[in-house]
Amino acid sequence: MNDHYLKKIDRITAILTQLQSKPIVRAQDLAEKFEVSIRTIYRDIKTLENAGIPIIGEAGNGYSLMDGYKLPPVMFTKDEVLSFITAEKLMQHFSHESLGAHYKTAMEKLRSILKYSDKKLLENIEKQIDIYNYYPKTEDYIKNIIPTILQSIAEKVQICIDYKTVDEKISTRTIEVVGVFFEFNYWYLIAYCTLRKDFRQFRVDRILKLNKTQNPFLQEYGQINDYRKNPNANKTIVKLLVEKKIMPHLGNSKIYYGLTEEKETENGIELTFETEWISEGFPRWLITFTDYAKIIEPESLKTTMKELIEKISKNLSQYS
């Protein structure tokens, strides 16, 4: 059997797996995934149909398996089996506690269908992999909070929350959740707030109480990344000229503070930010490498930095 037929068998098997895992699969998406022509995908679908697989759909729309049709358990490669244990270690350290128990039971089910040699492989390797996390886990007031939030998204119903702000003020909000995300060791949700008539970002561990209502919402909000990139907030454009040698030390923090463009010039790296923390957060971050940076704009940031440096200098003078 030549290499061409081996690749075809692998691709057809993978297409069958896609049909098992998704309600509908488009030929265009399959063609992009396997880097073949759409015509090749049509032929592969025909091969599956000829083998007796009941596929519903047609070219140009999408394909799915007939409802109720059962396939034998999927077989995993060794590389896929090893990826499971790595993912499990990551979930143990970085997943939200309300998701951890559900993931653990899912992994137990997955392990149960592995063949004996693969189970032994996991047993032998799992103690050789570890993840070191130096950030303490946050504690939530509500058990299973993220699954409840995800249910509200799936069911498209509003939730009512009691929320404590950073200055310890508590307010009650009815919100329509767009999505959740993890950043800098905290879980957040982005939602439309019916009180403010606008989109807001909430830190999950500051939610004191949560009730899933029976009130549906009909608005289609799209993907969470649409709001992460363009959240509704008062933003200030900041431009810095930074020495190249300090760039590796900025890491992901520059993204956190609103980096939108990074351009190399003869005099250094020009960084452009859109930040809503121009008064406090951004200046205090900038002070950590201000000896390697020049503020291009705005002028107000230069004034803020001078005042901050003077305050630091005054505080330090008491130790001289």
Side-chain angles (χ1 to χ4, degrees), residues 76-273:
F76 299 104
T77 66
K78 280 191 176 182
D79 288 339
E80 288 169 340
V81 171
L82 290 172
S83 74
F84 295 151
I85 190 63
T86 307
E88 186 175 22
K89 294 287 185 178
L90 285 167
M91 285 293 289
Q92 288 171 359
H93 287 270
F94 291 102
S95 73
H96 191 272
E97 61 180 357
S98 63
L99 299 173
H102 301 293
Y103 185 82
K104 184 178 180 180
T105 57
M107 278 298 298
E108 288 171 353
K109 291 177 182 178
L110 189 148
R111 286 172 183 256
S112 71
I113 65 171
L114 294 177
K115 57 187 179 181
Y116 179 78
S117 60
D118 288 341
K119 290 178 184 177
K120 290 297 292 181
L121 179 66
L122 281 184
E123 185 180 315
N124 293 335
I125 201 70
E126 61 184 346
K127 292 181 181 178
Q128 311 308 123
I129 302 172
D130 207 347
I131 308 294
Y132 298 106
N133 181 14
Y134 296 100
Y135 296 97
K137 284 191 174 182
T138 57
E139 294 185 5
D140 299 314
Y141 293 90
I142 305 163
K143 186 179 180 181
N144 285 331
I145 184 168
I146 287 190
T148 303
I149 292 169
L150 294 178
Q151 287 171 20
S152 78
I153 299 172
E155 297 170 12
K156 292 182 69 90
V157 294
Q158 296 176 339
I159 58 176
C160 184
I161 64 172
D162 287 351
Y163 187 74
K164 181 172 67 174
T165 62
V166 67
D167 55 359
E168 301 294 318
K169 294 180 180 178
I170 298 174
S171 64
T172 299
R173 310 285 187 93
T174 299
I175 59 176
E176 300 175 355
V177 184
V178 175
V180 299
F181 66 94
F182 181 81
E183 185 175 60
F184 292 92
N185 208 51
Y186 292 105
W187 281 91
Y188 297 85
L189 65 86
I190 291 178
Y192 178 79
C193 177
T194 59
L195 176 66
R196 303 301 184 197
K197 308 277 185 213
D198 203 351
F199 292 93
R200 290 291 187 268
Q201 182 172 298
F202 301 92
R203 216 172 83 181
V204 169
D205 63 305
R206 290 184 181 152
I207 298 176
L208 306 179
K209 185 179 178 182
L210 182 148
N211 290 311
K212 193 172 64 168
T213 74
Q214 299 300 315
N215 304 326
F217 61 88
L218 303 177
Q219 181 67 38
E220 293 290 342
Y221 290 121
Q223 300 179 10
I224 188 171
N225 284 340
D226 298 335
Y227 298 85
R228 292 277 293 131
K229 292 175 183 175
N230 301 294
N232 288 345
N234 294 321
K235 303 266 187 177
T236 301
I237 302 296
V238 175
K239 289 184 182 291
L240 304 177
L241 185 63
V242 178
E243 292 184 29
K244 189 181 294 187
K245 62 183 178 182
I246 199 64
M247 288 299 294
H249 299 283
L250 301 185
N252 288 328
S253 64
K254 62 182 183 292
I255 299 172
Y256 179 75
Y257 283 97
L259 180 72
T260 59
E261 186 180 7
E262 186 173 318
K263 184 169 62 177
E264 187 168 352
T265 70
E266 292 182 358
N267 299 318
I269 308 298
E270 185 178 301
L271 303 179
T272 303
F273 299 84

Side-chain angles (χ1 to χ4, degrees), residues 41-54:
I41 297 298
Y42 292 157
R43 287 197 294 264
D44 291 341
I45 293 292
K46 192 66 177 176
T47 299
L48 287 168
E49 289 175 332
N50 292 338
I53 306 297

